[in-house]
Amino acid sequence: MYSELLLSATKSLSLIHGKEVHAHIIKAFFTTCMFLQNVLLNMYCKCGDMSLAQRLFDTMPTRDTVSWNSLITGYSQVGVCRKSLDVFNEARSVQIKLDHFTYASALSVCSRNGDLKMGKVIHGMVLVSGFYQRVFLTNSLIDMYSKCGGISDASLVFDSSSELDDVSWNSMISAYVRIGWDEETLRTFAKMHRLGMKLNTFALGSVLKSCSSLSNSVILGKMVHGCIIKVGLDSDVFVGSTMIDLYAKNGLLSEAVMVFNSVPDPNVVVFNSMIAGFSRLETDGNNEHNYEAVCLFSEMQRRGMRSSKFTFSSVLRACNFPDDFELGKQIHGQIFKNNLKHDEYIGSALIEMYSSSGSIEEGFKCFHSVPKQDIVTWTSMISGCVQVDHFERALSLFHDLLGIGIKPDHFTLSCLMSACANLAVARSGEQIQCYAIKVGFNWFTIINNSQIFMYTRSGDVDAANQTFQEMENRDVVSWSAMISSHAQHGCASDALMLFKEMEGCNVSPNHVTLLGVLTACSHGGLVDEGLRYFERMKVDYDLDPNAKHCACIVDLLGRAGRLVDAEKFILDSCFHDDPVLWRALLGSCRVHKDTEMGTHAAERIMELEPHAPASYVLLYNMYLDAGRKSFAMRARDLMKERGVKKEPGLSWIEIGASVHSFVAGDNSHPESHAIYDKLEEMLSKIEKMGYINMEALEINGSSPKQNGSFVNHHSEKLAVALGMIRLPQLAPIRVMKNLRVCVDCHTAMKLFSESEKREIVLRDPFRFHRFRGGLCSCGDYW
C-alpha cells in the first residue's frame, strides 16, 4: 500500500503527498525493506528535493544498484552535474555492480555538462562491462557525443552498432541538424525510411528544417511532405508549423495556406508560422499579404489565444509601410496590454516598424524603453538610422555600442558600412572593415557585399573590385554590386563582361543585376545591346521591368539623340505617369538642346511632382544652355511663385579621420584663406587653357571675377581645392555632392585634372564622374 501511494506521489510530482506518506511510515513504526526505501528515495529525487534524498540515502543500511542509480539521476535532473558524477565515482569505488541504467545516467550528466573527456571515459567502461550492444546505451552514447561536439564519434557509434531502434535514428538525425549537416540529415532520413523505421514528428520536423537550408529545398520539402501524409502526421501541429515555414520561406504561400487549413486545431505556433509567412513577403510591398497577416492575428484574438512575442514581432513586420503605420501603433497598444513592452525581441520589431514609417524618434523611445538591449536591438536601431538617412547618428550609436562592451555581429557591421557608403567616408569604412577582419567576420558574404557597395559609393572602384576578386562565396548581390560599380564609373565593357561571367557561373540575375547592365549600356552608348537586354528580362530571366529599368532605356535612347523614340517609349510603357522617366527625357533634351520637347517633358513632370525642385532646375539649366536667358528666368520665377525651394548645394571631402563640408562661397573653414588662394591659382591656370564661366556671362553679362564669389566658388570647387592642399600628389581627390553637377563645374573639373595632373572623382546623386587628364568617365554626358 505504501509503495503504491509513493508511486502515485512520484508520478504526480507531489512532494507534499510523498512526505505525508513517509511521515505515516515513521509514525506507524513500519519496518521498511530495501524496495520501499528505494521507492522513497526515487520519490524525493523525482520531486527535486535532493537534500532529503541524500539524507535518506545516507541512513539506508544497505544499498543496491537501484539506490545509486536514483541518486545519480536525481542530481543530474536538478542540474548538479558535478555531484552526480561524484556519486557515480563513489558507486564504482564501493564496487557496486553497475548496470546499463547507471552508465546511461552518467552519460546523460556528461551531455548536460558538455564533458566530452568524462564521456569518453564512461564509454570505455561501457565497453569493458560488456553493455556496449545494448541499444539503450547506444542511444545515450550518440546523444552524449552529439551534444558534446563529437559528431564523428557519434557517427562511429551509430554505424558500428548491431542493434538500432527508432530513438537511435532520431538521435542521429537530431545530431546532424544541430551542427547544420543538412545533406547528411537527409541521407540518414532516407536510409531510415527505406529500412521501414517508424517516423515520428520529431524526426520529420528536423528533416524539414534541413530542407529549408538546401538549394533544392522545395523539391525535397515536397518529397518529405509526401512521407508525412503517408504516415498520417500531416495534421500534427509541430509538423504543420514546420511545413508552413518551409513553404512560406520559398514564396509558396498557397501551399503554406493549404497546410495551415489542414491542421484541425492550430495552436499559437502554427498561427505564428503562417503570420510570419505572410509578413516575410513585405519587401514586395504587397499590401494583400500584410492584410492577411493582420487578419490571422485578429483570428487569434477572437479564439482567445495568448499572443507570444513571436506573434507580435511578425505582425509588426507586416506594418512596416507608411500606409500601415496607424495599424502598427494599435498593435503597439496590444503589446502594452499584454505587458510585453520591455521584451528585447519585440523592441527590435517596434524599432523597425517606426523607422520604416520615418518616425525615428519614436524608434529611439522604444530602444531606450528596453531594459536589456542586446546586439539585435542595437542593430535594429542602427539600421533604422541608416534607413532614414541619419548616417552620422548610426556611426555615433556604434561608438556607444563599443563603449558599453557589447560586441557587434556581421549584420551590425554591414549596416555601418552602408552608412559609410552613403556618407562616402571611405576612411571610416576602412576602419570598420579592419574591425571585421579582427573579429573574424571578413569571410561573411554580407560583409564583403557591403564593402563593395561602400567602396563603390566612395568612388574607389579598384578597391571594390579587389574585394570582389578575393571573395570565396559570391551570391547574386555580390555580382550585382560589382556590375553596378563598373556601370556607375563608366566602365561599360567591364560591367557587361562581368555579367557574362556571372551567367557562366549559373547565378540567376535579379532586378538589380539587370539595372546595372542597362546602366552600363546607357553610359557606354550601347543602344542595341541595351534594348536587347531589356527584351531578354522577361523572356530569359522571368523578370518584369520596373520604372528604373524603363528610365534606363529612356536615358539610353536620349543619349543617342533618339528623343522621339524615347518619348514614344515612355508613352507606350505602363510607367508613363512616373516622373523618373520624364526627368530622364528632360535631361537628354537639355544635352541635345531640344527645348521644345524639353519644355513638354518639364510640364509633364511638374504636373506629376509640382513641388520637386529638381525638375525646375533642369528646365532652368536647359534654357540657359540653349542661350534662352528669359525663359530660364521665367523657370526660376515659377519656382518662387509656387513656393518651391531649391535644396542648397553641399559638397564634402574626407581627409584622414575628418569630413570637411562646403557650401557655395563658404568662409567658415579654418583654412578658408589657403583654400581660396589655391582655388584662384587653379582658376588662373585653366583660364589660360580657355576656360570661361558661361553661367556668369549668361546671367549678368559680366566676367566671373566681376560677378562675385558664388559663381566661381561652387562648393565642389572649394572641396577640390582643399584636397589639392592636404592630400598627397598620387592620391585621388574624392568629393561628394548632394545635387547634380552643373555644366560649369564639370568643365572646370576636367581642366583641373589636366592642369594639376591629379585624378578627381566627383559623385553626385545621379552618377560618378572620374576626371583624368582632361577627360570624364561619363563621356561628357551628365
Side-chain angles (χ1 to χ4, degrees):
M1 179 180 173
Y2 283 126
S3 61
E4 291 176 357
L5 290 171
L6 288 170
L7 288 171
S8 175
T10 305
K11 188 176 181 181
S12 62
L13 299 179
S14 176
L15 182 60
I16 294 174
H17 183 195
K19 284 182 175 181
E20 288 175 346
V21 176
H22 191 184
H24 197 279
I25 292 172
I26 297 171
K27 189 176 180 180
F29 297 102
F30 185 80
T31 304
T32 56
C33 61
M34 183 180 291
F35 172 76
L36 188 58
Q37 287 178 327
N38 283 337
V39 174
L40 259 174
L41 179 64
N42 184 57
M43 183 274 297
Y44 281 123
C45 289
K46 288 289 175 64
C47 291
D49 194 336
M50 293 308 299
S51 60
L52 286 177
Q54 184 68 59
R55 192 186 305 173
L56 176 64
F57 180 82
D58 293 338
T59 60
M60 289 175 66
T62 55
R63 307 160 188 148
D64 60 5
T65 306
V66 176
S67 313
W68 290 94
N69 288 350
S70 296
L71 199 62
I72 293 168
T73 304
Y75 278 118
S76 173
Q77 287 175 346
V78 296
V80 188
C81 300
R82 187 69 267 167
K83 182 64 176 175
S84 182
L85 288 177
D86 288 343
V87 175
F88 172 75
N89 289 326
E90 188 182 347
R92 291 182 58 233
S93 66
V94 297
Q95 297 182 342
I96 288 291
K97 187 177 181 181
L98 305 180
D99 62 10
H100 55 287
F101 292 109
T102 318
Y103 291 117
S105 297
L107 288 169
S108 176
V109 174
C110 295
S111 299
R112 287 170 175 267
N113 209 26
D115 192 345
L116 181 60
K117 185 178 179 180
M118 188 61 189
K120 286 186 174 182
V121 171
I122 296 171
H123 188 183
M125 296 178 191
V126 170
L127 293 174
V128 172
S129 67
F131 290 129
Y132 63 92
Q133 291 297 347
R134 295 285 184 96
V135 68
F136 183 73
L137 278 176
T138 298
N139 297 339
S140 296
L141 284 166
I142 292 170
D143 182 68
M144 183 274 294
Y145 278 123
S146 65
K147 287 181 179 176
C148 294
I151 189 65
S152 56
D153 293 312
S155 297
L156 185 63
V157 170
F158 180 81
D159 293 335
S160 61
S161 178
S162 59
E163 185 181 353
L164 298 170
D165 62 5
D166 299 342
V167 177
S168 314
W169 288 90
N170 289 327
S171 297
M172 203 65 239
I173 288 173
S174 176
Y176 288 135
V177 170
R178 189 178 293 113
I179 63 168
W181 286 13
D182 301 313
E183 292 182 1
E184 197 62 41
T185 300
L186 290 172
R187 274 196 288 269
T188 307
F189 172 74
K191 189 176 179 181
M192 176 184 181
H193 188 51
R194 282 197 302 271
L195 293 173
M197 305 301 295
K198 185 179 179 182
L199 302 173
N200 60 18
T201 57
F202 179 78
L204 291 168
S206 299
V207 170
L208 286 170
K209 286 181 181 178
S210 298
C211 290
S212 301
S213 305
L214 298 172
S215 56
N216 53 345
S217 58
V218 176
I219 298 171
L220 293 171
K222 286 184 175 181
M223 291 169 64
V224 177
H225 193 180
C227 293
I228 290 168
I229 294 171
K230 190 175 180 180
V231 297
L233 292 173
D234 50 313
S235 60
D236 181 83
V237 290
F238 176 71
V239 174
S241 62
T242 313
M243 278 301 313
I244 291 167
D245 188 61
L246 171 68
Y247 283 130
K249 278 182 179 176
N250 289 278
L252 302 174
L253 272 183
S254 57
E255 285 83 349
V257 170
M258 286 176 62
V259 175
F260 177 79
N261 292 331
S262 69
V263 179
D265 189 18
N267 60 6
V268 173
V269 177
V270 177
F271 267 96
N272 286 351
S273 298
M274 197 65 249
I275 291 171
F278 282 119
S279 302
R280 200 172 283 121
L281 297 183
E282 48 145 356
T283 50
D284 299 335
N286 193 324
N287 289 329
E288 183 182 344
H289 293 148
N290 300 331
Y291 176 74
E292 291 293 341
V294 175
C295 285
L296 281 173
F297 175 71
S298 299
E299 178 63 23
M300 286 182 67
Q301 303 284 77
R302 282 194 295 272
R303 294 191 182 197
M305 292 183 174
R306 185 175 177 82
S307 301
S308 68
K309 60 182 182 179
F310 302 106
T311 317
F312 282 116
S313 63
S314 295
V315 78
L316 279 171
R317 288 185 172 90
C319 302
N320 279 357
F321 292 96
D323 294 344
D324 301 319
F325 181 52
E326 289 302 320
L327 183 59
K329 289 169 74 174
Q330 292 178 31
I331 293 170
H332 193 178
Q334 287 287 323
I335 291 168
F336 266 86
K337 190 176 179 180
N338 285 268
N339 199 29
L340 291 169
K341 57 184 178 294
H342 297 309
D343 183 86
E344 60 269 21
Y345 192 74
I346 290 178
S348 298
L350 282 168
I351 292 167
E352 290 175 19
M353 189 268 291
Y354 281 115
S355 300
S356 299
S357 304
S359 302
I360 191 66
E361 297 306 326
E362 292 296 325
F364 267 101
K365 287 180 183 177
C366 295
F367 175 72
H368 292 305
S369 70
V370 178
K372 184 184 176 183
Q373 295 167 343
D374 59 7
I375 187 56
V376 178
T377 315
W378 279 91
T379 302
S380 297
M381 197 66 255
I382 291 171
S383 176
C385 288
V386 173
Q387 194 170 350
V388 295
D389 297 344
H390 289 207
F391 307 120
E392 295 92 343
R393 209 168 180 180
L395 293 173
S396 177
L397 278 172
F398 177 58
H399 291 300
D400 295 341
L401 170 69
L402 294 178
I404 62 175
I406 296 180
K407 293 183 179 180
D409 61 14
H410 50 291
F411 295 108
T412 319
L413 298 179
S414 175
C415 290
L416 290 162
M417 285 187 181
S418 180
C420 294
N422 284 284
L423 285 172
V425 285
R427 176 70 177 169
S428 299
E430 286 171 354
Q431 292 176 352
I432 293 170
Q433 179 186 347
C434 290
Y435 182 88
I437 294 170
K438 183 179 178 181
V439 297
F441 289 153
N442 54 309
W443 298 115
F444 280 91
T445 301
I446 189 174
I447 292 288
N448 295 142
N449 292 342
S450 298
Q451 279 178 220
I452 294 171
F453 180 66
M454 177 191 70
Y455 284 123
T456 297
R457 296 283 289 173
S458 301
D460 195 346
V461 67
D462 296 327
N465 189 52
Q466 182 179 345
T467 301
F468 179 78
Q469 295 299 334
E470 291 174 354
M471 287 181 68
E472 290 187 2
N473 301 309
R474 301 169 185 164
D475 58 11
V476 65
V477 178
S478 319
W479 289 94
S480 301
M482 202 61 237
I483 289 169
S484 298
S485 177
H486 285 309
Q488 291 169 14
H489 287 84
C491 307
S493 57
D494 292 337
L496 296 182
M497 187 165 56
L498 199 61
F499 179 66
K500 290 178 182 176
E501 186 182 342
M502 174 184 174
E503 289 186 303
C505 293
N506 295 319
V507 179
S508 300
N510 59 17
H511 285 88
V512 179
T513 320
L514 268 299
L515 183 62
V517 169
L518 293 175
T519 302
C521 293
S522 176
H523 289 187
L526 307 173
V527 180
D528 293 336
E529 288 88 340
L531 293 173
R532 186 165 60 250
Y533 279 119
F534 184 78
E535 292 297 324
R536 287 179 61 191
M537 277 189 70
K538 182 64 180 174
V539 178
D540 293 352
Y541 310 117
D542 195 27
L543 297 171
D544 293 316
N546 58 32
K548 291 182 179 179
H549 298 106
C550 293
C552 273
I553 297 300
V554 174
D555 189 58
L556 177 75
L557 296 170
R559 281 173 178 265
R562 295 168 56 176
L563 299 178
V564 175
D565 292 338
E567 184 180 31
K568 185 177 184 302
F569 178 85
I570 295 174
L571 296 172
D572 291 343
S573 75
C574 55
F575 301 104
H576 52 81
D577 288 333
D578 196 309
V580 174
L581 276 68
W582 290 103
R583 197 173 291 118
L585 178 61
L586 177 57
S588 298
C589 292
R590 177 194 172 192
V591 172
H592 295 288
K593 295 181 171 56
D594 189 335
T595 54
E596 184 179 346
M597 184 176 289
T599 303
H600 171 65
E603 289 173 351
R604 188 77 184 93
I605 297 168
M606 290 172 193
E607 287 176 14
L608 298 167
E609 285 185 333
H611 298 289
S615 309
Y616 296 89
V617 173
L618 268 174
L619 182 62
Y620 167 81
N621 287 330
M622 181 187 70
Y623 283 132
L624 208 61
D625 294 345
R628 303 176 72 174
K629 179 181 173 183
S630 60
F631 285 91
M633 295 299 106
R634 192 181 301 169
R636 179 175 285 183
D637 292 339
L638 190 60
M639 283 185 72
K640 293 179 181 178
E641 289 174 16
R642 296 181 176 178
V644 179
K645 293 184 178 180
K646 179 179 177 290
E647 184 182 359
L650 178 70
S651 299
W652 63 96
I653 181 171
E654 186 183 24
I655 299 175
S658 303
V659 177
H660 306 262
S661 58
F662 299 89
V663 295
D666 201 333
N667 290 299
S668 62
H669 196 278
E671 299 176 53
S672 183
H673 184 72
I675 291 170
Y676 277 97
D677 285 348
K678 181 63 179 177
L679 181 56
E680 290 303 327
E681 177 193 324
M682 292 161 56
L683 288 169
S684 177
K685 286 182 183 179
I686 65 174
E687 282 171 4
K688 292 175 183 177
M689 298 168 65
Y691 167 73
I692 299 174
N693 191 323
M694 297 305 296
E695 184 179 352
L697 291 174
E698 288 169 337
I699 294 175
N700 295 309
S702 61
S703 71
K705 290 182 180 178
Q706 293 172 326
N707 188 250
S709 65
F710 283 92
V711 174
N712 249 343
H713 299 160
H714 287 97
S715 60
E716 55 265 56
K717 291 180 183 176
L718 295 173
V720 167
L722 178 63
M724 293 286 183
I725 297 169
R726 296 275 295 272
L727 292 172
Q729 180 66 32
L730 296 177
I733 298 169
R734 295 189 173 90
V735 175
M736 313 303 145
K737 187 175 181 183
N738 64 332
L739 299 178
R740 187 188 294 267
V741 178
C742 69
V743 180
D744 169 64
C745 284
H746 191 272
T747 304
M749 294 300 164
K750 286 196 299 180
L751 297 172
F752 284 156
S753 70
E754 185 177 359
S755 64
E756 302 294 326
K757 294 180 173 52
R758 299 288 293 269
E759 179 184 345
I760 301 171
V761 179
L762 184 56
R763 189 199 88 186
D764 67 21
F766 299 94
R767 58 181 56 86
F768 281 89
H769 305 270
R770 177 173 287 193
F771 302 96
R772 288 176 175 170
L775 299 174
C776 179
S777 61
C778 72
D780 292 346
Y781 188 103
W782 63 97

